[in-house]
Amino acid sequence: MSAASLKALYDALKVSAKKDLRSATITAELAILCEESIEFVRKSANFVPLISGVPGKGYGMLRLKGGTRSSRPINTALFDRDVAASDLAALLAGETSAYSEERLSQLLYTAAMSFCVAVDLSGGEGQKSPNQKSPGTFFEILVGHLAAMKLGVNPAKKVAVPTSDGAEADNMLPTDFIFDLGPGKSKVHMPVKISTRERVVQAWAHQRVLEGMLGAGRYKGVLVILTETNKQKDVSVVEVCLPGQWRAYQMYIAPMYRVYYLDVPKKYEPLRDSYPFIQIWPFAKFFSEYRQIQSPNP
Amino acid sequence: MSAASLKALYDALKVSAKKDLRSATITAELAILCEESIEFVRKSANFVPLISGVPGKGYGMLRLKGGTRSSRPINTALFDRDVAASDLAALLAGETSAYSEERLSQLLYTAAMSFCVAVDLSGGEGQKSPNQKSPGTFFEILVGHLAAMKLGVNPAKKVAVPTSDGAEADNMLPTDFIFDLGPGKSKVHMPVKISTRERVVQAWAHQRVLEGMLGAGRYKGVLVILTETNKQKDVSVVEVCLPGQWRAYQMYIAPMYRVYYLDVPKKYEPLRDSYPFIQIWPFAKFFSEYRQIQSPNP
């Protein structure tokens, strides 16, 4: 599998995702893309350990054989380079109940990182390879597909701004994923990001706009993020966290119902335990508590 | 004046700005940097017209003589390539009352663009030249200096998050410029951006956090932006505007008191005239209405 073939698979996935994100077509296309990405990585890259600046976590990276190009940092406990294709296929079909939360975390992280690290290793001048934006789009499709299967509907990517006079007619606000679960259920606002840094305030701001337009508690805000790791000088890994700012956003902009990470940053874990009690958990937890998110109750 | 000399002037300015942004030192250092940038441009670049996609506005760009490197788009009516050093010096010393609003707009735009286009033309591998982040920092120093002189105090770049228990003690929130004008006066929250696109929601979100922490109307939000121009395929210029989204932010996140542009985008002008009546004006207007901003009244 070459970089050009991965790009062709990714381009096809993007087209299919616009038609029906929760379809069996996406399950199949995601499975092929993840498996081929991992196959590409197995064949063409070596694993190189990195110095972890995060207590209790180990990190490494992939480096192209006979080259200098290297990948983003990889959490060694979460990335399963030898994952079975059948496990990836089950995950992507939404058949998650047989797995422990720990194993589910590994499958989710491995699927999410597979294409991202393949892009890191395969980009380059003149090559027909996926570009640097593609990991973000891929991750959004992966998370959107898994969430849409569990929540039972496809998401929209815009909402109508309510109008009280003609001036604002036809004003649609572009958003991240919006799941309308129908009468008697919650609605879900789900921003999906590879990492956040200072841009994370956008998620809270859009939650605030939804609250203002459509009522407090009408949309549950569910933010899904891959990781906050940063590779420093190519040898050590840290997590870039801004817990004080997150606290202020949760207190003063709008409440986020859940924040799920595929690799939860250590410094965000304590935010669960004191006011304003931001619920930051592994994304694997979504698959056991999604009924609570569907419920109209807070 | 070489690119390396411009970089040295810029580096010195950055250091001085951290000490006392409204000082005569900054007036002098900004004046030299703007004049030398324009001198560099006059000597080393030709002006090339661009096709304007904006009704009523003309745009061009600078192109390095004997090279292919070109600058960001330049509004031809606002950029005065032959500006007198004495006019720039007067502007940067805050002596603005002798100028019409129209002429003041030209001086402000010319000063702001001078260093930005010099950076566009001088960047490159291995060269000791200012980097691509430096126009944003320069523009922030320029606007901060002019505002600090008129408002009479230096800004801070963080605010304390109020605490009701020990858990959040010592929690400082990093912000854009915060001017505390003292008792009996308004306080001012002034984000400064080269251009905004989808990132603009940050300005409204931070305004919301200030409102939530310290009370509605306590801080007047004053957003200052250089331009929203975008050069397409190197020949035509458009303005990237999201008026529907701005309306939603102003209605549902927090009210911004003023939005000043150095080159006001055409599509934002009508936002003044219908609900929620966002006050978007040329930055030159700040110099005649800053007393209204200082007033504690809305």
Side-chain angles (χ1 to χ4, degrees):
Chain A
M1 179 61 47
S2 68
S5 318
L6 286 180
K7 174 162 168 42
L9 290 173
Y10 164 74
D11 287 342
L13 174 69
K14 265 207 305 186
V15 172
S16 307
K18 279 184 188 160
K19 287 183 200 145
D20 184 356
L21 191 57
R22 65 192 272 256
S23 65
T25 306
I26 302 293
T27 294
E29 291 186 349
L30 273 173
I32 294 170
L33 183 54
C34 291
E35 284 159 28
E36 294 294 350
S37 294
I38 288 177
E39 191 56 37
F40 170 80
V41 160
R42 276 189 201 125
K43 269 193 199 155
S44 55
N46 294 315
F47 193 82
V48 182
L50 291 167
I51 298 163
S52 170
V54 186
K57 291 190 183 181
Y59 285 95
M61 65 178 182
L62 292 157
R63 186 183 284 151
L64 216 53
K65 287 176 187 168
T68 54
R69 191 180 284 276
S70 64
S71 77
R72 63 196 66 201
I74 296 170
N75 182 316
T76 46
L78 288 171
F79 190 71
D80 180 5
R81 203 181 170 183
D82 302 315
V83 66
S86 58
D87 282 337
L88 280 181
L91 170 74
L92 295 167
E95 294 152 10
T96 53
S97 53
Y99 300 106
S100 67
E101 193 176 301
E102 195 184 345
R103 180 60 183 154
L104 194 50
S105 282
Q106 287 178 333
L107 293 176
L108 287 164
Y109 185 85
T110 304
M113 290 298 276
S114 63
F115 180 66
C116 297
V117 296
V119 171
D120 293 343
L121 295 172
S122 68
E125 284 300 307
Q127 249 186 290
K128 201 169 185 181
S129 56
N131 64 40
Q132 285 309 307
K133 271 187 193 169
S134 56
T137 305
F138 162 79
F139 183 60
E140 191 179 86
I141 292 171
L142 171 67
V143 171
H145 173 66
L146 294 170
M149 280 191 300
K150 291 298 173 195
L151 297 176
V153 293
N154 270 321
K157 292 207 72 175
K158 58 187 177 182
V159 289
V161 178
T163 64
S164 61
D165 58 50
E168 300 114 39
D170 300 323
N171 190 3
M172 297 297 293
L173 189 72
T175 57
D176 291 284
F177 290 137
I178 292 285
F179 294 89
D180 186 343
L181 307 186
K185 289 193 173 172
S186 176
K187 298 179 196 295
V188 179
H189 167 225
M190 185 179 281
V192 179
K193 312 283 174 197
I194 287 271
S195 73
T196 67
R197 315 289 164 82
E198 67 289 347
R199 288 169 290 112
V200 80
V201 73
Q202 292 180 3
W204 269 273
H206 286 139
Q207 183 66 22
R208 169 79 202 166
V209 170
L210 291 170
E211 272 210 17
M213 291 194 319
L214 301 158
R218 193 79 192 86
Y219 280 84
K220 283 180 177 161
V222 177
L223 173 55
V224 185
I225 307 166
L226 177 47
T227 174
E228 302 291 359
T229 51
N230 193 27
K231 193 163 64 178
Q232 301 197 307
K233 291 176 189 163
D234 247 29
V235 293
S236 75
V237 178
V238 295
E239 289 178 328
V240 180
C241 296
L242 308 163
Q245 293 179 44
W246 280 44
R247 236 187 248 272
Y249 301 156
Q250 182 79 358
M251 287 164 74
Y252 299 115
I253 299 181
M256 201 62 71
Y257 188 76
R258 286 288 183 280
V259 181
Y260 291 122
Y261 269 100
L262 277 74
D263 179 11
V264 182
K266 277 282 165 196
K267 284 184 187 157
Y268 284 152
E269 288 179 353
L271 291 184
R272 300 169 195 153
D273 303 322
S274 68
Y275 181 80
F277 302 98
I278 311 179
Q279 295 302 302
I280 302 177
W281 297 100
F283 186 42
K285 204 172 158 72
F286 168 80
F287 297 86
S288 60
E289 67 177 11
Y290 68 90
R291 285 190 187 80
Q292 191 182 335
I293 293 171
Q294 289 174 315
S295 153
N297 303 323
Chain B
M1 179 63 46
S2 69
S5 319
L6 286 180
K7 175 164 168 41
L9 290 173
Y10 164 74
D11 287 342
L13 174 67
K14 267 208 303 187
V15 172
S16 307
K18 279 184 187 160
K19 286 183 201 148
D20 183 357
L21 192 56
R22 65 192 272 256
S23 66
T25 305
I26 301 292
T27 295
E29 290 187 348
L30 273 172
I32 294 170
L33 182 55
C34 291
E35 284 160 27
E36 295 293 350
S37 294
I38 288 177
E39 190 57 36
F40 169 79
V41 159
R42 275 190 200 123
K43 269 193 199 154
S44 55
N46 293 316
F47 193 83
V48 182
L50 292 166
I51 298 162
S52 170
V54 187
K57 290 190 185 183
Y59 286 95
M61 64 178 181
L62 292 157
R63 186 182 285 151
L64 216 52
K65 287 176 188 169
T68 54
R69 193 179 282 277
S70 63
S71 77
R72 63 196 67 201
I74 296 170
N75 182 316
T76 47
L78 288 172
F79 190 72
D80 180 4
R81 203 183 170 181
D82 302 314
V83 65
S86 58
D87 282 337
L88 280 182
L91 171 74
L92 296 167
E95 294 153 9
T96 53
S97 54
Y99 300 106
S100 68
E101 192 176 301
E102 196 186 344
R103 181 60 183 154
L104 194 51
S105 282
Q106 289 178 331
L107 294 177
L108 287 164
Y109 185 84
T110 304
M113 290 297 276
S114 62
F115 180 66
C116 298
V117 296
V119 170
D120 293 343
L121 295 172
S122 67
E125 285 300 307
Q127 249 185 290
K128 201 170 184 182
S129 56
N131 63 40
Q132 286 308 307
K133 269 186 196 171
S134 56
T137 305
F138 162 79
F139 183 61
E140 191 180 86
I141 292 171
L142 171 68
V143 171
H145 173 67
L146 293 170
M149 280 191 299
K150 290 298 173 195
L151 297 176
V153 293
N154 270 322
K157 292 207 74 176
K158 59 187 176 182
V159 288
V161 178
T163 64
S164 60
D165 59 50
E168 301 113 40
D170 300 322
N171 190 2
M172 298 297 294
L173 188 73
T175 58
D176 291 285
F177 289 137
I178 292 285
F179 294 91
D180 186 344
L181 307 186
K185 288 193 174 173
S186 176
K187 298 180 196 293
V188 179
H189 167 224
M190 184 180 282
V192 178
K193 312 283 174 198
I194 287 271
S195 73
T196 67
R197 316 289 164 81
E198 67 288 346
R199 288 170 289 112
V200 80
V201 72
Q202 291 180 3
W204 269 272
H206 286 138
Q207 183 65 22
R208 168 79 202 167
V209 170
L210 291 171
E211 271 210 17
M213 290 194 320
L214 301 158
R218 194 78 192 88
Y219 279 83
K220 284 180 177 160
V222 177
L223 172 57
V224 185
I225 307 166
L226 177 47
T227 174
E228 303 290 0
T229 52
N230 192 27
K231 193 163 64 178
Q232 301 198 307
K233 292 176 188 162
D234 248 29
V235 293
S236 75
V237 178
V238 296
E239 289 176 330
V240 181
C241 296
L242 308 163
Q245 293 180 44
W246 280 44
R247 236 186 248 271
Y249 301 156
Q250 182 79 358
M251 287 163 71
Y252 298 114
I253 300 181
M256 200 61 71
Y257 189 74
R258 287 287 183 280
V259 181
Y260 292 121
Y261 270 101
L262 277 72
D263 179 11
V264 183
K266 276 282 165 194
K267 283 183 188 159
Y268 284 153
E269 288 178 353
L271 292 184
R272 300 168 196 153
D273 302 324
S274 68
Y275 181 80
F277 302 98
I278 312 179
Q279 295 303 300
I280 302 176
W281 297 101
F283 186 43
K285 205 171 157 72
F286 168 81
F287 298 85
S288 60
E289 67 179 11
Y290 68 90
R291 285 190 188 81
Q292 192 182 333
I293 293 171
Q294 290 174 314
S295 154
N297 303 324

